[in-house]
Amino acid sequence: KPFEILMIKRAKLSKGSFRVVNEEFQMDSLVELNHSLLDVHGFVNSKQVQFKAKDATVDLEDFGNISQLDVKGKGTLDVTVSGPLNDTSINLRGNMKGFEVLKYRLGQSDIDLSVELGDESVVISKFESLYRSTPLSGTGVINYGSSDIALGINSPQANFHDIKDILYPIFSKLTFL
């Protein structure tokens, strides 16, 4: 069945150069979304795709509900879309404010995550966060095809109120807290 990975509702391209060379589409352009600005360079051909945007100003909500995982945050990211057409990866690496995934509130975060289209998964290779006074770090994999989740989150120190907010998806269902 069809599944929405990204949904960009409005994009403005400027300072663009678009070419087709030896059956390969090549692009160099500024891409402006509602609250994001990306300087995109790359290509796609019948075998592979490779697009990069370094130091992009990004509001993740401009890309829709990424893989229906409620991924949110604003910041500066290096964005890379690469791989064979049947196994493309969308990698996001950099610093975000208000970072969330599946409504888990992770705050100011240094992230490295990839949407792996071939595996139907989001791989969080690294996140280091500070939510109020609580430092967090971790890794994980969320399979948006099967809804399997494997997340590891560490914190050397935490207070109950921060943890309650961070783990809102769990605590919101408990009535005795």
Side-chain angles (χ1 to χ4, degrees):
K1 78 181 190 184
F3 185 81
E4 183 178 294
I5 305 296
L6 300 173
M7 175 58 76
I8 297 172
K9 293 185 179 181
R10 184 189 72 82
K12 177 182 171 186
L13 306 178
S14 61
K15 298 182 183 177
S17 170
F18 305 94
R19 308 164 297 287
V20 176
V21 178
N22 295 326
E23 297 182 18
E24 178 176 271
F25 172 78
Q26 300 172 357
M27 172 181 147
D28 299 291
S29 181
L30 284 178
V31 178
E32 184 178 347
L33 307 175
N34 285 339
H35 304 101
S36 302
L37 183 62
L38 301 91
D39 189 5
V40 178
H41 305 275
F43 67 88
V44 62
N45 59 38
S46 63
K47 296 180 182 169
Q48 65 179 339
V49 61
Q50 177 76 42
F51 288 102
K52 292 184 179 185
K54 293 212 174 267
D55 295 321
T57 300
V58 174
D59 179 342
L60 292 174
E61 290 186 77
D62 284 347
F63 295 88
N65 187 352
I66 300 171
S67 301
Q68 299 178 7
L69 298 176
D70 295 319
V71 180
K72 297 178 181 177
K74 298 175 183 177
T76 303
L77 296 176
D78 290 339
V79 179
T80 304
V81 178
S82 63
L85 297 181
N86 64 350
D87 194 19
T88 302
S89 174
I90 303 167
N91 180 259
L92 308 172
R93 181 178 293 148
N95 292 295
M96 303 296 302
K97 291 181 182 173
F99 182 62
E100 291 185 22
V101 62
L102 293 171
K103 298 191 183 349
Y104 290 93
R105 299 170 181 162
L106 302 172
Q108 176 73 37
S109 300
D110 181 16
I111 64 164
D112 182 353
L113 69 85
S114 296
V115 179
E116 302 293 342
L117 301 180
D119 295 350
E120 296 186 327
S121 64
V122 174
V123 177
I124 303 170
S125 300
K126 171 185 109 170
F127 79 85
E128 294 176 358
S129 300
L130 182 63
Y131 184 83
R132 295 188 193 135
S133 63
T134 300
L136 302 162
S137 64
T139 60
V141 177
I142 303 165
N143 185 295
Y144 55 83
S146 67
S147 299
D148 288 340
I149 300 171
L151 296 174
I153 299 174
N154 302 305
S155 180
Q157 63 184 32
N159 71 54
F160 175 76
H161 294 292
D162 288 355
I163 293 298
K164 186 176 176 186
D165 283 349
I166 292 164
L167 300 177
Y168 171 78
I170 295 170
F171 287 134
S172 67
K173 295 174 176 76
L174 301 177
T175 58
F176 62 90
L177 291 175

